[in-house]
Amino acid sequence: MKKILVINSGSSSLKFQLISMPAETILASGLVERIGMEDAKYSFESLKNKDTRVLKIKDHHQALELAAVFLLDIGSGVISSPKEIDAIGHRVVHGGKHFSDTTLITKEIKEKIHQLASLAPLHNPPNLVGIEVAEKIFPDAKQVAVFDTAFHQSIPEKAHRYAIPNELYEKEHIRLYGFHGTSHKYVSEKALTYLNNPNAKIVVLHLGNGCSATAINAGKSVDHSLGFGPLTGLVMGTRSGDIDPAIILYLMETKGYSYQEISNLLNKKSGMLGLTGFSDMREIQKGHEEGNPDCTIALEMNAYRIKKYIGAYAAAMNGLDALVFTAGIGENSSILREMVCSEMDFLGIELNPKKNNSKEKGIREIQTEGSRAKILIVPTNEELEIAKQSFKLIN
């Protein structure tokens, strides 16, 4: 038995799970939000106890120290010493072209993650902070990096290159890298096992605050909606998804927008937030039901963009055996699933409304009996996937 601590370190948050492998038993979990603020919040839960507090948490080091104290606490803890942690699996968003597999973290690996920060400035720096803090608090544990981009290294050159001068590809490594790979890998493996068809052609829709679609043929990622950075593709909570580059040039040339203003506009002020004033899908669905036209058109735009990617990926794979919904919105929004699957019978996609509105948990089918393609809801579990990959690496 090995105890694997999984850490997902964001720009202002830190999420963890302590998992016993290979039994896949969750011993403890927690989330620290609003790090650096006076009213930061942490919520921890173990097999013995729960603890939720609001207090000032100045940095990631303090956040992880609080998690360690909880894990070691006599009343709520599940370990008696930091030495009981065998490995720490870290989610690292951008591995560039260098990492196609999970890897043990060394000084050289940390330097490479640092060098790739320019490709994921909102993600790689806090990922690296999480690694460095964990090394200090759990010095005896093996540190493992699991890269979001790794699953998409199988995307062929014809799909991952952009039609720009060759030197930008060769020297600057500008290409499609893809993200949410840990989730897409976990969900696609679950789906293929459920379908009992390792060669199935499926499209996985990871729909949360960040959204992405992946074409997966026989378990391999062959195309993906997020590209050089996590901004393209589907409409997201605060990110625009696909946009005509001429708009960016127009705003810079005629309106004097700076790089930072463009970045904030497209990453933090666009998507569903820009269209409705809300980034939470529950608020948007409520607005739609109450007749708010902004919420209605936003949902229609969101679904329409998803449908275009489904069609494109079915064409790229020359077929579609299953459409898979996952992540917070994908698993819980029956309204968006219905809008996505409407008028898709040409591709063999026919939704069963009763099954779609069911509150059942776990993997389930929601298509009609006559639907040629399966429609599945498969809950994602990125932390478990990181634990599985870390466990496999250290054994």
Side-chain angles (χ1 to χ4, degrees):
M1 183 186 76
K2 301 286 186 181
K3 290 178 180 175
I4 311 293
L5 180 62
V6 176
I7 294 177
N8 185 345
S9 182
S11 57
S12 61
S13 65
L14 187 142
K15 184 163 59 172
F16 76 87
Q17 280 192 14
L18 180 60
I19 303 176
S20 176
M21 297 295 292
E24 302 183 1
T25 303
I26 298 174
L27 304 176
S29 62
L31 172 64
V32 184
E33 302 174 278
R34 297 173 61 83
I35 293 173
M37 306 293 286
E38 296 286 338
D39 58 345
K41 177 183 178 181
Y42 77 71
S43 302
F44 298 157
E45 182 175 355
S46 73
L47 296 173
K48 297 181 178 180
N49 198 9
K50 293 182 180 180
D51 190 10
T52 300
R53 301 187 192 184
V54 176
L55 70 167
K56 182 179 179 179
I57 300 177
K58 63 180 181 178
D59 54 26
H60 286 75
H61 193 282
Q62 185 182 357
L64 194 53
E65 280 186 336
L66 286 170
V69 168
F70 179 80
L71 293 172
L72 290 160
D73 184 79
I74 294 175
S76 61
V78 289
I79 57 173
S80 57
S81 166
K83 293 184 178 182
E84 287 186 38
I85 304 295
D86 296 286
I88 301 180
H90 298 269
R91 179 198 179 207
V92 180
V93 167
H94 216 309
K97 69 173 186 177
H98 307 283
F99 302 106
S100 57
D101 293 300
T102 298
T103 184
L104 284 173
I105 295 171
T106 63
K107 182 179 179 181
E108 291 72 26
I109 297 297
K110 288 193 291 182
E111 179 58 31
K112 186 62 68 176
I113 293 171
H114 174 71
Q115 291 171 6
L116 291 166
S118 61
L119 300 182
L122 299 178
H123 300 90
N124 270 37
N127 296 160
L128 187 57
V129 168
I131 291 169
E132 292 174 337
V133 170
E135 287 177 329
K136 294 176 182 177
I137 296 177
F138 302 97
D140 298 307
K142 293 180 180 178
Q143 308 288 333
V144 178
V146 179
F147 296 92
D148 259 12
T149 50
F151 181 61
H152 302 300
Q153 288 295 300
S154 55
I155 295 176
E157 186 175 354
K158 65 181 180 182
H160 77 232
R161 287 191 63 170
Y162 297 110
I164 55 177
N166 288 338
E167 64 183 40
L168 292 175
Y169 175 69
E170 295 163 356
K171 295 181 180 179
E172 302 298 329
H173 312 300
I174 296 177
R175 51 159 287 184
L176 183 153
Y177 288 106
F179 300 91
H180 296 152
T182 305
S183 174
H184 282 287
K185 183 178 188 296
Y186 176 86
V187 169
S188 61
E189 288 177 352
K190 288 288 185 182
L192 294 179
T193 299
Y194 178 87
L195 294 168
N196 194 28
N197 181 3
N199 297 312
K201 298 172 181 179
I202 67 175
V203 172
V204 175
L205 300 172
H206 176 105
L207 307 178
N209 190 54
C211 301
S212 61
T214 303
I216 298 171
N217 192 347
K220 299 291 186 181
S221 173
V222 295
D223 207 346
H224 178 73
S225 61
L226 295 171
F228 180 69
L231 183 59
T232 57
L234 310 181
V235 179
M236 296 173 247
T238 64
R239 284 175 270 174
S240 66
D242 288 338
I243 187 172
D244 183 349
I247 297 170
I248 299 171
L249 300 177
Y250 170 81
L251 291 174
M252 294 175 70
E253 184 176 358
T254 67
K255 300 298 180 182
Y257 275 59
S258 66
Y259 159 80
Q260 192 59 54
E261 287 172 327
I262 291 289
S263 178
N264 286 338
L265 175 72
L266 298 181
N267 280 295
K268 298 179 180 180
K269 298 180 179 180
S270 295
M272 301 300 275
L273 177 65
L275 293 169
T276 69
F278 306 110
S279 61
D280 190 313
M281 182 59 76
R282 290 166 294 190
E283 294 286 345
I284 296 165
Q285 290 177 172
K286 181 181 178 183
H288 164 66
E289 291 165 355
E290 294 174 349
N292 183 324
D294 290 339
C295 292
T296 297
I297 190 63
L299 284 170
E300 290 175 347
M301 290 171 64
N302 195 321
Y304 181 73
R305 183 78 58 83
I306 293 170
K307 291 167 77 157
K308 290 205 298 183
Y309 270 88
I310 295 169
Y313 289 166
M317 294 188 291
N318 190 28
L320 181 66
D321 295 307
L323 179 64
V324 183
F325 289 90
T326 194
I329 295 171
E331 295 169 31
N332 296 302
S333 177
S334 59
I335 293 176
L336 189 61
R337 291 195 301 263
E338 181 180 358
M339 295 175 80
V340 168
C341 295
S342 68
E343 299 181 343
M344 293 283 275
D345 50 294
F346 179 79
L347 288 175
I349 296 171
E350 296 182 22
L351 186 74
N352 182 312
K354 184 176 180 180
K355 290 181 179 179
N356 182 46
N357 289 306
S358 169
K359 301 301 182 182
E360 289 182 38
K361 300 296 183 181
I363 300 177
R364 60 193 190 277
E365 299 181 27
I366 56 172
Q367 77 280 353
T368 64
E369 289 186 9
S371 180
R372 295 196 309 276
K374 297 280 190 182
I375 308 173
L376 304 179
I377 298 173
V378 180
T380 190
N381 193 330
E382 293 175 275
E383 286 76 23
L384 178 56
E385 180 61 32
I386 292 171
K388 288 168 65 177
Q389 293 188 40
S390 301
F391 179 72
K392 182 179 178 181
L393 184 68
I394 67 172
N395 275 297

